[in-house]
Amino acid sequence: MAKPEAGLKRAHFKDVRLPVLLLLPQLAILLFFFFIPSFRALGQAFFLSDPFGNTVHFVGLDNFAQLLQSDTYHESVKATVVFTILQNLLTIAVALVLAFASDRVIRGRGIYKAIILLPYAIAPVIAGILWAFLFNPAVGPLAHVLHAIGFAWDPNRVGSDAMILVILAASWKHVCYDYIFLLAGLLAVPSSLLEAAAVDGAGPLKRFFSIGLPLLMPTMFFLAVMNFVYGFFEIFAIVDAVTQGGPAGATNVLVFKVYVDGFINLDLGSSAAQSVILMIFALFMTLLQFRYVERRVSYDV
Amino acid sequence: MVERAPVLDAVCHAILLVGVACVCVPLYLAFVAGSLTIGEVQQVPLPWLPGDQFVQNLRTAWTQANFGRLFLNSFIVALGITVGKIAVSLLSAFAITYFRFRFRMTAFWLIFVSLMLPIEVRISPTYESVANAALPVQWLVETLHLSQVWNAVTGHSIDIQLSWNMVDTYPGLILPLIASASATFLFRQFFLTVPDELCEAARIDGASPMHFFWTILLPLSRSNIAALAIILFLYGWNQYLWPLLFTTDKDMATAVIGLKHLIPRSDSQPAWNVAMSAALLTMLPPILVVVALQRSFVKGLVDSSK
């Protein structure tokens, strides 16, 4: 018996042509729609081209240098950081409270869970449209409530209001994701630990904070990474539908700026340089996921 | 944990009810707004009870946004992504886990790398690739100076121009979204847990690899496939950036893109009633899928972490 190879079944076939044929569709799709575009993005980032692609000059790192000096880019980075951090905190906090409560209740857990999970099925753009309506300063019922209690709410004019609106819509859509993982984690806490703590006189809250929460830490870390990725990329639909990056660039997050610079302003070099920066970020986040996160989640939620 | 804590339990129910309300109230208000006339929807405050215009608004939205066609497109794209991704992933996971061949690890890493970059960051080069899928071949031709070589060898001069435009086609909408190997890894993990004896027995019985795949591996994977299919259907139906960029022809847009065009932009005629009824309509297919297949859905969500 040959030495076992990583990720190969002990009982396997020794064929050469068949596995190549089996891999062919996947590798062809990856080559055309993943590898070539990714390398082209890398290439474009070092060139300056006119919008029609007729003339192309090699400019080295100029595109990056210009980006790092540009104020709008700085603002975009700031908006992205503010958005992702607040979205992350809000989502995890709400999900944790809901998961704790679901773990505690017996009656009705299935129904609560089913309803809280619903937003997962709803497209980010639809979540955006719903919240844009609810908080529309002219007709929105929730905006009306805010006005009634003396809050001059107007996301069309005030940057921070627009940011709050985007954060609310994104979190509303994403809480369910964190919730299901946290609930699975809580349900997987060994009951022997909980019973021992209960015998020692620890109440439900005490047990949650001293046993459940520490055991959930790896899951929380995984979720934080996933929330950052979600916040970075899926936010595009919400911003495009709700604020279009405005007012005055207050919600012009990085993915939206890549799109606007590349497809509307046709500044391909700069857009590609921004893509490359985002790629590096995405790469980093993925490595974090694989490096630190050992997920052991039971499926019987 | 058997223990009486009636106050805490009541608090927990209250928390969950607030959570449920946070999900339901926006949907209910959307329904109310979607059932009013355009005059009523502009009242402040909005009435708490629905009006009787829901069907009328739906009809308006349906014709105004051409939803008949767009829903068909959304179904084709979502099903195409689901079936396509599962098919190529099953095959490549099978190849990687059940065959020993020379470039097994190379193939594994090539697929692995693709997990790292979401389509949003490589959007404009992907667009170019799909706008002309022959571009890489063209590039190869130019880099290798094939036409000069041809010229030197044969004395004839030719100009090689290749193009394969996929803009406004279903493959153009579907294929780039299949190009991430998350599902391959899910199936790989699953195959590694399948008992070795099954494959050994199949081989002793003289079954060919594909026979083993069809009659043993595939039936065993059924629940994983179902779980993943739900997640992928939602993913495909809810795609936004790619169809937005990629469809210039209105008849090739998907439902969520059509919905975007119904959002009132000016305050002169804010038809929120039509927009809200259309939003409810567009979210209906994915919600039905989730509600009908709740158990598999949760499994798929936790499994694929996407």
Side-chain angles (χ1 to χ4, degrees):
Chain A
M1 191 98 206
K3 179 164 76 69
E5 246 179 85
L8 180 67
K9 300 290 285 186
R10 193 165 51 77
H12 55 259
F13 302 99
K14 292 190 195 69
D15 195 327
V16 181
R17 292 218 333 257
L18 187 57
V20 172
L21 281 179
L22 292 173
L23 281 166
L24 207 59
Q26 174 108 51
L27 291 180
I29 289 175
L30 286 182
L31 177 72
F32 270 87
F33 303 107
F34 179 83
F35 285 105
I36 291 172
S38 300
F39 280 110
R40 286 179 57 85
L42 269 179
Q44 274 176 356
F46 300 99
F47 288 89
L48 194 63
S49 54
D50 71 299
F52 306 102
N54 293 329
T55 55
V56 177
H57 305 284
F58 182 73
V59 292
L61 292 172
D62 276 9
N63 286 326
F64 292 95
Q66 266 180 16
L67 265 187
L68 296 180
Q69 284 162 11
S70 117
D71 284 341
T72 53
Y73 193 69
H74 290 170
E75 272 162 34
S76 179
V77 170
K78 220 185 328 174
T80 311
V81 170
V82 168
F83 166 78
T84 43
I85 289 179
L86 290 181
Q87 190 261 133
N88 217 323
L89 289 176
L90 183 63
T91 313
I92 289 196
V94 173
L96 197 58
V97 172
L98 289 173
F100 170 78
S102 305
D103 181 38
R104 183 74 208 156
V105 305
I106 313 274
R107 225 184 304 165
R109 185 197 282 160
I111 296 170
Y112 289 132
K113 205 184 71 195
I115 295 175
I116 292 172
L117 273 175
L118 272 190
Y120 187 85
I122 296 172
V125 60
I126 301 180
I129 292 170
L130 278 185
W131 286 83
F133 167 70
L134 295 177
F135 281 107
N136 181 292
V139 299
L142 297 186
H144 170 72
V145 174
L146 287 178
H147 291 157
I149 59 172
F151 194 85
W153 168 267
D154 190 351
N156 297 333
R157 297 206 177 74
V158 185
S160 57
D161 289 359
M163 182 56 98
I164 292 171
L165 181 55
V166 173
I167 291 171
L168 280 179
S171 304
W172 182 77
K173 154 97 186 104
H174 205 59
V175 160
C176 55
Y177 182 83
D178 294 10
Y179 163 78
I180 206 67
F181 278 86
L182 292 172
L183 179 58
L186 276 180
L187 290 172
V189 172
S191 55
S192 57
L193 279 182
L194 297 172
E195 277 155 21
V199 170
D200 288 346
L205 281 174
K206 173 92 177 156
R207 290 200 301 267
F208 173 71
F209 283 107
S210 55
I211 299 174
L213 206 52
L215 286 177
L216 280 182
M217 274 307 160
T219 312
M220 301 248 276
F221 184 79
F222 163 77
L223 290 175
V225 173
M226 292 308 284
N227 289 348
F228 270 108
V229 172
Y230 164 82
F232 249 75
F233 301 115
E234 307 255 308
I235 185 61
F236 175 85
I238 298 178
V239 168
D240 189 49
V242 177
T243 65
Q244 307 259 307
T251 54
N252 191 14
V253 290
L254 289 169
V255 266
F256 193 71
K257 189 168 156 55
V258 172
Y259 162 77
V260 170
D261 287 354
F263 283 87
I264 294 174
N265 302 336
L266 294 175
D267 184 354
L268 294 179
S270 174
S271 176
Q274 294 177 42
S275 276
V276 169
I277 294 175
L278 285 178
M279 279 182 181
I280 293 169
F281 173 80
L283 222 63
F284 173 72
M285 287 317 242
T286 316
L287 290 178
L288 264 189
Q289 267 178 57
F290 283 105
R291 174 76 182 73
Y292 290 107
V293 184
E294 272 292 292
R295 276 174 302 133
R296 291 282 173 270
V297 193
S298 95
Y299 302 131
D300 301 316
V301 185
Chain B
M1 186 59 48
V2 186
E3 164 182 62
R4 278 167 184 276
V7 177
L8 185 65
D9 285 347
V11 170
C12 286
H13 279 286
I15 290 172
L16 289 169
L17 286 174
V18 170
V20 165
C22 285
V23 172
C24 294
V25 167
L27 296 176
Y28 175 73
L29 290 176
F31 170 65
V32 171
S35 64
L36 300 173
T37 64
I38 189 152
E40 287 167 335
V41 83
Q42 289 176 73
Q43 286 170 37
V44 176
L46 194 78
W48 276 100
L49 291 175
D52 54 1
Q53 297 293 306
F54 193 69
V55 176
Q56 181 57 41
N57 288 335
L58 271 186
R59 209 171 284 151
T60 312
W62 188 267
T63 46
Q64 201 177 322
N66 192 13
F67 267 137
R69 172 77 200 201
L70 301 193
F71 266 61
L72 178 70
N73 291 345
S74 275
F75 272 110
I76 291 174
V77 169
L79 288 178
I81 289 172
T82 309
V83 173
K85 200 153 168 158
I86 288 178
V88 297
S89 295
L90 271 172
L91 293 181
S92 49
F94 178 54
I96 284 177
T97 47
Y98 275 98
F99 288 88
R100 180 197 293 271
F101 55 101
R102 223 164 133 208
F103 296 105
R104 200 177 71 87
M105 285 318 272
T106 317
F108 176 81
W109 284 109
L110 281 178
I111 294 173
F112 185 80
V113 167
S114 74
L115 288 177
M116 301 193 178
L117 300 178
I119 193 162
E120 282 84 356
V121 303
R122 50 195 160 86
I123 192 88
S124 78
T126 307
Y127 183 84
E128 284 179 15
S129 296
V130 184
N132 182 2
L135 208 64
V137 186
Q138 174 87 39
W139 173 80
L140 196 71
V141 167
E142 276 163 21
T143 329
L144 298 179
H145 300 287
L146 282 187
S147 23
Q148 279 95 321
V149 172
W150 181 260
N151 199 353
V153 173
T154 62
H156 296 289
S157 142
I158 55 159
D159 186 20
I160 304 172
Q161 283 294 339
L162 301 161
S163 84
W164 177 23
N165 187 340
M166 289 205 263
V167 172
D168 288 327
T169 63
Y170 291 119
L173 277 170
I174 294 170
L175 290 176
L177 295 172
I178 294 181
S180 140
S182 49
T184 309
F185 281 81
L186 182 72
F187 288 126
R188 171 183 176 266
Q189 299 303 77
F190 172 69
F191 288 168
L192 288 177
T193 67
V194 173
D196 277 316
E197 287 75 14
L198 290 176
C199 181
E200 273 160 16
R203 279 172 55 188
I204 290 168
D205 288 349
S208 73
M210 286 323 284
H211 193 71
F212 167 71
F213 178 76
W214 279 115
T215 53
I216 300 178
L217 213 49
L218 211 53
L220 282 176
S221 319
R222 204 183 296 143
S223 83
N224 288 64
I225 293 174
L228 193 63
I230 299 167
I231 302 291
L232 288 175
F233 182 83
L234 300 186
Y235 170 79
W237 184 275
N238 290 341
Q239 272 303 315
Y240 181 75
L241 179 53
W242 185 247
L244 175 72
L245 275 184
F246 201 62
T247 48
T248 49
D249 181 355
K250 277 195 159 168
D251 279 348
M252 285 303 292
T254 56
V256 288
I257 304 300
L259 177 61
K260 185 208 168 184
H261 297 301
L262 290 179
I263 311 173
R265 284 279 172 229
S266 69
D267 286 336
S268 58
Q269 191 66 327
W272 282 105
N273 51 345
V274 175
M276 284 298 117
S277 61
L280 292 173
L281 186 68
T282 313
M283 69 174 82
L284 198 60
I287 284 188
L288 288 180
V289 168
V290 166
V291 169
L293 305 166
Q294 179 94 27
R295 280 196 73 81
S296 300
F297 161 64
V298 171
K299 180 171 157 49
L301 193 60
V302 179
D303 261 353
S304 69
S305 80
K306 173 66 212 170

mmCIF file of all heavy atoms in Angstrom, chain B residues 53-87:
data_model
loop_
_atom_site.group_PDB
_atom_site.id
_atom_site.type_symbol
_atom_site.label_atom_id
_atom_site.label_comp_id
_atom_site.label_asym_id
_atom_site.label_seq_id
_atom_site.Cartn_x
_atom_site.Cartn_y
_atom_site.Cartn_z
ATOM 1 N N GLN B 53 -55.840 47.950 -3.004
ATOM 2 C CA GLN B 53 -55.237 48.123 -4.323
ATOM 3 C C GLN B 53 -54.084 47.165 -4.594
ATOM 4 O O GLN B 53 -53.338 47.357 -5.565
ATOM 5 C CB GLN B 53 -54.708 49.565 -4.457
ATOM 6 C CG GLN B 53 -55.780 50.613 -4.377
ATOM 7 C CD GLN B 53 -56.687 50.531 -5.580
ATOM 8 O OE1 GLN B 53 -56.227 50.574 -6.708
ATOM 9 N NE2 GLN B 53 -57.980 50.387 -5.345
ATOM 10 N N PHE B 54 -53.893 46.160 -3.738
ATOM 11 C CA PHE B 54 -52.692 45.335 -3.849
ATOM 12 C C PHE B 54 -52.579 44.678 -5.229
ATOM 13 O O PHE B 54 -51.552 44.762 -5.895
ATOM 14 C CB PHE B 54 -52.687 44.269 -2.747
ATOM 15 C CG PHE B 54 -51.363 43.583 -2.601
ATOM 16 C CD1 PHE B 54 -50.262 44.281 -2.112
ATOM 17 C CD2 PHE B 54 -51.197 42.265 -2.977
ATOM 18 C CE1 PHE B 54 -49.028 43.657 -1.988
ATOM 19 C CE2 PHE B 54 -49.956 41.637 -2.861
ATOM 20 C CZ PHE B 54 -48.886 42.342 -2.359
ATOM 21 N N VAL B 55 -53.673 44.058 -5.648
ATOM 22 C CA VAL B 55 -53.646 43.351 -6.933
ATOM 23 C C VAL B 55 -53.424 44.345 -8.067
ATOM 24 O O VAL B 55 -52.645 44.097 -9.006
ATOM 25 C CB VAL B 55 -54.965 42.569 -7.118
ATOM 26 C CG1 VAL B 55 -54.991 41.910 -8.484
ATOM 27 C CG2 VAL B 55 -55.098 41.525 -6.020
ATOM 28 N N GLN B 56 -54.092 45.493 -7.955
ATOM 29 C CA GLN B 56 -53.949 46.526 -8.983
ATOM 30 C C GLN B 56 -52.498 46.986 -9.091
ATOM 31 O O GLN B 56 -51.929 47.103 -10.180
ATOM 32 C CB GLN B 56 -54.877 47.707 -8.637
ATOM 33 C CG GLN B 56 -54.849 48.825 -9.638
ATOM 34 C CD GLN B 56 -55.213 48.315 -11.031
ATOM 35 O OE1 GLN B 56 -56.115 47.505 -11.201
ATOM 36 N NE2 GLN B 56 -54.467 48.781 -12.031
ATOM 37 N N ASN B 57 -51.854 47.230 -7.925
ATOM 38 C CA ASN B 57 -50.454 47.666 -7.925
ATOM 39 C C ASN B 57 -49.542 46.594 -8.498
ATOM 40 O O ASN B 57 -48.596 46.892 -9.231
ATOM 41 C CB ASN B 57 -49.997 48.007 -6.506
ATOM 42 C CG ASN B 57 -50.628 49.291 -6.014
ATOM 43 O OD1 ASN B 57 -51.003 50.145 -6.820
ATOM 44 N ND2 ASN B 57 -50.761 49.426 -4.707
ATOM 45 N N LEU B 58 -49.837 45.353 -8.132
ATOM 46 C CA LEU B 58 -49.041 44.253 -8.674
ATOM 47 C C LEU B 58 -49.131 44.238 -10.188
ATOM 48 O O LEU B 58 -48.134 44.083 -10.884
ATOM 49 C CB LEU B 58 -49.558 42.911 -8.139
ATOM 50 C CG LEU B 58 -48.960 42.410 -6.837
ATOM 51 C CD1 LEU B 58 -49.480 41.011 -6.542
ATOM 52 C CD2 LEU B 58 -47.446 42.377 -6.922
ATOM 53 N N ARG B 59 -50.354 44.440 -10.677
ATOM 54 C CA ARG B 59 -50.557 44.408 -12.131
ATOM 55 C C ARG B 59 -49.765 45.536 -12.794
ATOM 56 O O ARG B 59 -49.106 45.332 -13.803
ATOM 57 C CB ARG B 59 -52.053 44.534 -12.431
ATOM 58 C CG ARG B 59 -52.445 43.848 -13.718
ATOM 59 C CD ARG B 59 -53.951 43.810 -13.872
ATOM 60 N NE ARG B 59 -54.584 42.791 -13.028
ATOM 61 C CZ ARG B 59 -55.827 42.907 -12.545
ATOM 62 N NH1 ARG B 59 -56.538 44.003 -12.787
ATOM 63 N NH2 ARG B 59 -56.334 41.941 -11.821
ATOM 64 N N THR B 60 -49.820 46.722 -12.169
ATOM 65 C CA THR B 60 -49.072 47.858 -12.716
ATOM 66 C C THR B 60 -47.578 47.536 -12.758
ATOM 67 O O THR B 60 -46.916 47.743 -13.781
ATOM 68 C CB THR B 60 -49.277 49.107 -11.827
ATOM 69 O OG1 THR B 60 -50.674 49.242 -11.581
ATOM 70 C CG2 THR B 60 -48.731 50.340 -12.498
ATOM 71 N N ALA B 61 -47.065 47.025 -11.617
ATOM 72 C CA ALA B 61 -45.639 46.711 -11.554
ATOM 73 C C ALA B 61 -45.279 45.656 -12.587
ATOM 74 O O ALA B 61 -44.258 45.761 -13.278
ATOM 75 C CB ALA B 61 -45.271 46.217 -10.149
ATOM 76 N N TRP B 62 -46.146 44.650 -12.685
ATOM 77 C CA TRP B 62 -45.865 43.518 -13.567
ATOM 78 C C TRP B 62 -45.671 43.983 -15.008
ATOM 79 O O TRP B 62 -44.741 43.565 -15.687
ATOM 80 C CB TRP B 62 -47.005 42.518 -13.462
ATOM 81 C CG TRP B 62 -46.747 41.228 -14.161
ATOM 82 C CD1 TRP B 62 -47.110 40.925 -15.443
ATOM 83 C CD2 TRP B 62 -46.060 40.093 -13.635
ATOM 84 N NE1 TRP B 62 -46.685 39.659 -15.745
ATOM 85 C CE2 TRP B 62 -46.043 39.114 -14.665
ATOM 86 C CE3 TRP B 62 -45.460 39.796 -12.417
ATOM 87 C CZ2 TRP B 62 -45.437 37.865 -14.497
ATOM 88 C CZ3 TRP B 62 -44.867 38.557 -12.244
ATOM 89 C CH2 TRP B 62 -44.858 37.604 -13.280
ATOM 90 N N THR B 63 -46.567 44.878 -15.459
ATOM 91 C CA THR B 63 -46.445 45.342 -16.844
ATOM 92 C C THR B 63 -45.358 46.405 -16.987
ATOM 93 O O THR B 63 -44.583 46.390 -17.930
ATOM 94 C CB THR B 63 -47.772 45.918 -17.355
ATOM 95 O OG1 THR B 63 -48.293 46.783 -16.342
ATOM 96 C CG2 THR B 63 -48.767 44.827 -17.643
ATOM 97 N N GLN B 64 -45.275 47.308 -15.984
ATOM 98 C CA GLN B 64 -44.326 48.420 -16.087
ATOM 99 C C GLN B 64 -42.885 47.912 -16.129
ATOM 100 O O GLN B 64 -42.061 48.418 -16.873
ATOM 101 C CB GLN B 64 -44.528 49.344 -14.887
ATOM 102 C CG GLN B 64 -44.014 50.749 -15.103
ATOM 103 C CD GLN B 64 -44.329 51.594 -13.877
ATOM 104 O OE1 GLN B 64 -45.387 51.463 -13.265
ATOM 105 N NE2 GLN B 64 -43.404 52.465 -13.508
ATOM 106 N N ALA B 65 -42.565 46.923 -15.298
ATOM 107 C CA ALA B 65 -41.186 46.439 -15.233
ATOM 108 C C ALA B 65 -40.990 45.204 -16.101
ATOM 109 O O ALA B 65 -39.911 44.628 -16.110
ATOM 110 C CB ALA B 65 -40.814 46.128 -13.794
ATOM 111 N N ASN B 66 -42.032 44.799 -16.830
ATOM 112 C CA ASN B 66 -41.906 43.623 -17.691
ATOM 113 C C ASN B 66 -41.505 42.400 -16.869
ATOM 114 O O ASN B 66 -40.619 41.635 -17.261
ATOM 115 C CB ASN B 66 -40.879 43.896 -18.788
ATOM 116 C CG ASN B 66 -40.908 42.837 -19.866
ATOM 117 O OD1 ASN B 66 -41.844 42.033 -19.929
ATOM 118 N ND2 ASN B 66 -39.899 42.825 -20.713
ATOM 119 N N PHE B 67 -42.143 42.222 -15.706
ATOM 120 C CA PHE B 67 -41.713 41.182 -14.771
ATOM 121 C C PHE B 67 -41.909 39.777 -15.322
ATOM 122 O O PHE B 67 -41.193 38.862 -14.926
ATOM 123 C CB PHE B 67 -42.452 41.316 -13.436
ATOM 124 C CG PHE B 67 -41.703 42.151 -12.445
ATOM 125 C CD1 PHE B 67 -42.347 43.094 -11.666
ATOM 126 C CD2 PHE B 67 -40.339 41.977 -12.268
ATOM 127 C CE1 PHE B 67 -41.659 43.859 -10.736
ATOM 128 C CE2 PHE B 67 -39.640 42.739 -11.342
ATOM 129 C CZ PHE B 67 -40.305 43.684 -10.584
ATOM 130 N N GLY B 68 -42.874 39.594 -16.241
ATOM 131 C CA GLY B 68 -43.080 38.256 -16.793
ATOM 132 C C GLY B 68 -41.774 37.726 -17.356
ATOM 133 O O GLY B 68 -41.299 36.640 -17.005
ATOM 134 N N ARG B 69 -41.160 38.549 -18.202
ATOM 135 C CA ARG B 69 -39.891 38.180 -18.815
ATOM 136 C C ARG B 69 -38.762 38.109 -17.774
ATOM 137 O O ARG B 69 -37.946 37.192 -17.771
ATOM 138 C CB ARG B 69 -39.579 39.228 -19.895
ATOM 139 C CG ARG B 69 -38.232 39.133 -20.511
ATOM 140 C CD ARG B 69 -38.165 38.005 -21.514
ATOM 141 N NE ARG B 69 -36.781 37.645 -21.743
ATOM 142 C CZ ARG B 69 -36.342 37.006 -22.812
ATOM 143 N NH1 ARG B 69 -37.188 36.660 -23.748
ATOM 144 N NH2 ARG B 69 -35.073 36.717 -22.939
ATOM 145 N N LEU B 70 -38.710 39.118 -16.873
ATOM 146 C CA LEU B 70 -37.600 39.177 -15.914
ATOM 147 C C LEU B 70 -37.625 38.018 -14.926
ATOM 148 O O LEU B 70 -36.584 37.502 -14.543
ATOM 149 C CB LEU B 70 -37.635 40.511 -15.152
ATOM 150 C CG LEU B 70 -37.550 41.775 -16.008
ATOM 151 C CD1 LEU B 70 -37.272 42.992 -15.148
ATOM 152 C CD2 LEU B 70 -36.500 41.650 -17.083
ATOM 153 N N PHE B 71 -38.836 37.602 -14.521
ATOM 154 C CA PHE B 71 -38.918 36.454 -13.615
ATOM 155 C C PHE B 71 -38.399 35.197 -14.302
ATOM 156 O O PHE B 71 -37.684 34.405 -13.703
ATOM 157 C CB PHE B 71 -40.357 36.245 -13.124
ATOM 158 C CG PHE B 71 -40.630 36.914 -11.820
ATOM 159 C CD1 PHE B 71 -40.507 38.284 -11.703
ATOM 160 C CD2 PHE B 71 -40.985 36.185 -10.699
ATOM 161 C CE1 PHE B 71 -40.727 38.916 -10.497
ATOM 162 C CE2 PHE B 71 -41.209 36.804 -9.480
ATOM 163 C CZ PHE B 71 -41.081 38.172 -9.379
ATOM 164 N N LEU B 72 -38.764 35.052 -15.577
ATOM 165 C CA LEU B 72 -38.259 33.907 -16.331
ATOM 166 C C LEU B 72 -36.729 33.940 -16.345
ATOM 167 O O LEU B 72 -36.064 32.931 -16.088
ATOM 168 C CB LEU B 72 -38.812 33.949 -17.755
ATOM 169 C CG LEU B 72 -38.319 32.830 -18.660
ATOM 170 C CD1 LEU B 72 -38.917 31.506 -18.233
ATOM 171 C CD2 LEU B 72 -38.646 33.121 -20.122
ATOM 172 N N ASN B 73 -36.154 35.115 -16.635
ATOM 173 C CA ASN B 73 -34.691 35.242 -16.641
ATOM 174 C C ASN B 73 -34.109 34.869 -15.286
ATOM 175 O O ASN B 73 -33.117 34.155 -15.201
ATOM 176 C CB ASN B 73 -34.275 36.680 -16.970
ATOM 177 C CG ASN B 73 -34.587 37.046 -18.398
ATOM 178 O OD1 ASN B 73 -34.846 36.178 -19.222
ATOM 179 N ND2 ASN B 73 -34.579 38.327 -18.684
ATOM 180 N N SER B 74 -34.720 35.390 -14.217
ATOM 181 C CA SER B 74 -34.210 35.092 -12.880
ATOM 182 C C SER B 74 -34.233 33.590 -12.608
ATOM 183 O O SER B 74 -33.286 33.050 -12.052
ATOM 184 C CB SER B 74 -35.043 35.803 -11.813
ATOM 185 O OG SER B 74 -34.572 37.110 -11.642
ATOM 186 N N PHE B 75 -35.334 32.936 -13.015
ATOM 187 C CA PHE B 75 -35.402 31.491 -12.795
ATOM 188 C C PHE B 75 -34.312 30.769 -13.579
ATOM 189 O O PHE B 75 -33.637 29.880 -13.056
ATOM 190 C CB PHE B 75 -36.787 30.944 -13.179
ATOM 191 C CG PHE B 75 -37.759 30.998 -12.046
ATOM 192 C CD1 PHE B 75 -38.828 31.871 -12.060
ATOM 193 C CD2 PHE B 75 -37.600 30.170 -10.944
ATOM 194 C CE1 PHE B 75 -39.715 31.943 -11.002
ATOM 195 C CE2 PHE B 75 -38.482 30.230 -9.875
ATOM 196 C CZ PHE B 75 -39.538 31.114 -9.913
ATOM 197 N N ILE B 76 -34.131 31.171 -14.828
ATOM 198 C CA ILE B 76 -33.117 30.503 -15.648
ATOM 199 C C ILE B 76 -31.734 30.710 -15.047
ATOM 200 O O ILE B 76 -30.950 29.773 -14.902
ATOM 201 C CB ILE B 76 -33.176 31.022 -17.098
ATOM 202 C CG1 ILE B 76 -34.463 30.551 -17.751
ATOM 203 C CG2 ILE B 76 -31.961 30.548 -17.886
ATOM 204 C CD1 ILE B 76 -34.695 31.123 -19.128
ATOM 205 N N VAL B 77 -31.436 31.957 -14.639
ATOM 206 C CA VAL B 77 -30.110 32.248 -14.094
ATOM 207 C C VAL B 77 -29.906 31.507 -12.770
ATOM 208 O O VAL B 77 -28.881 30.857 -12.553
ATOM 209 C CB VAL B 77 -29.933 33.766 -13.906
ATOM 210 C CG1 VAL B 77 -28.679 34.067 -13.101
ATOM 211 C CG2 VAL B 77 -29.848 34.447 -15.258
ATOM 212 N N ALA B 78 -30.899 31.573 -11.872
ATOM 213 C CA ALA B 78 -30.744 30.928 -10.567
ATOM 214 C C ALA B 78 -30.612 29.413 -10.718
ATOM 215 O O ALA B 78 -29.744 28.791 -10.103
ATOM 216 C CB ALA B 78 -31.935 31.267 -9.668
ATOM 217 N N LEU B 79 -31.446 28.821 -11.583
ATOM 218 C CA LEU B 79 -31.345 27.373 -11.776
ATOM 219 C C LEU B 79 -30.047 27.012 -12.490
ATOM 220 O O LEU B 79 -29.408 26.008 -12.173
ATOM 221 C CB LEU B 79 -32.549 26.855 -12.572
ATOM 222 C CG LEU B 79 -33.862 26.851 -11.804
ATOM 223 C CD1 LEU B 79 -35.009 26.379 -12.690
ATOM 224 C CD2 LEU B 79 -33.767 25.940 -10.576
ATOM 225 N N GLY B 80 -29.645 27.836 -13.442
ATOM 226 C CA GLY B 80 -28.397 27.576 -14.161
ATOM 227 C C GLY B 80 -27.219 27.575 -13.217
ATOM 228 O O GLY B 80 -26.364 26.676 -13.273
ATOM 229 N N ILE B 81 -27.175 28.566 -12.329
ATOM 230 C CA ILE B 81 -26.079 28.631 -11.368
ATOM 231 C C ILE B 81 -26.125 27.412 -10.451
ATOM 232 O O ILE B 81 -25.112 26.762 -10.204
ATOM 233 C CB ILE B 81 -26.160 29.934 -10.551
ATOM 234 C CG1 ILE B 81 -25.798 31.118 -11.441
ATOM 235 C CG2 ILE B 81 -25.239 29.876 -9.345
ATOM 236 C CD1 ILE B 81 -26.036 32.460 -10.794
ATOM 237 N N THR B 82 -27.334 27.086 -9.964
ATOM 238 C CA THR B 82 -27.470 25.957 -9.042
ATOM 239 C C THR B 82 -27.020 24.652 -9.687
ATOM 240 O O THR B 82 -26.130 23.963 -9.178
ATOM 241 C CB THR B 82 -28.946 25.833 -8.602
ATOM 242 O OG1 THR B 82 -29.386 27.112 -8.151
ATOM 243 C CG2 THR B 82 -29.101 24.824 -7.505
ATOM 244 N N VAL B 83 -27.612 24.343 -10.831
ATOM 245 C CA VAL B 83 -27.303 23.067 -11.483
ATOM 246 C C VAL B 83 -25.849 23.058 -11.948
ATOM 247 O O VAL B 83 -25.103 22.100 -11.727
ATOM 248 C CB VAL B 83 -28.263 22.844 -12.676
ATOM 249 C CG1 VAL B 83 -27.843 21.607 -13.460
ATOM 250 C CG2 VAL B 83 -29.682 22.702 -12.174
ATOM 251 N N GLY B 84 -25.411 24.150 -12.558
ATOM 252 C CA GLY B 84 -24.057 24.208 -13.105
ATOM 253 C C GLY B 84 -23.012 24.045 -12.026
ATOM 254 O O GLY B 84 -22.098 23.228 -12.141
ATOM 255 N N LYS B 85 -23.168 24.803 -10.962
ATOM 256 C CA LYS B 85 -22.152 24.768 -9.925
ATOM 257 C C LYS B 85 -22.105 23.408 -9.240
ATOM 258 O O LYS B 85 -21.039 22.869 -8.984
ATOM 259 C CB LYS B 85 -22.440 25.866 -8.895
ATOM 260 C CG LYS B 85 -21.245 26.245 -8.069
ATOM 261 C CD LYS B 85 -21.383 27.676 -7.585
ATOM 262 C CE LYS B 85 -20.375 27.988 -6.539
ATOM 263 N NZ LYS B 85 -20.103 29.412 -6.407
ATOM 264 N N ILE B 86 -23.282 22.848 -8.975
ATOM 265 C CA ILE B 86 -23.298 21.540 -8.319
ATOM 266 C C ILE B 86 -22.691 20.483 -9.230
ATOM 267 O O ILE B 86 -21.894 19.653 -8.794
ATOM 268 C CB ILE B 86 -24.732 21.187 -7.876
ATOM 269 C CG1 ILE B 86 -25.112 22.064 -6.690
ATOM 270 C CG2 ILE B 86 -24.839 19.722 -7.512
ATOM 271 C CD1 ILE B 86 -26.498 21.874 -6.176
ATOM 272 N N ALA B 87 -23.015 20.534 -10.519
ATOM 273 C CA ALA B 87 -22.501 19.516 -11.438
ATOM 274 C C ALA B 87 -20.980 19.592 -11.543
ATOM 275 O O ALA B 87 -20.295 18.587 -11.318
ATOM 276 C CB ALA B 87 -23.142 19.697 -12.817
#
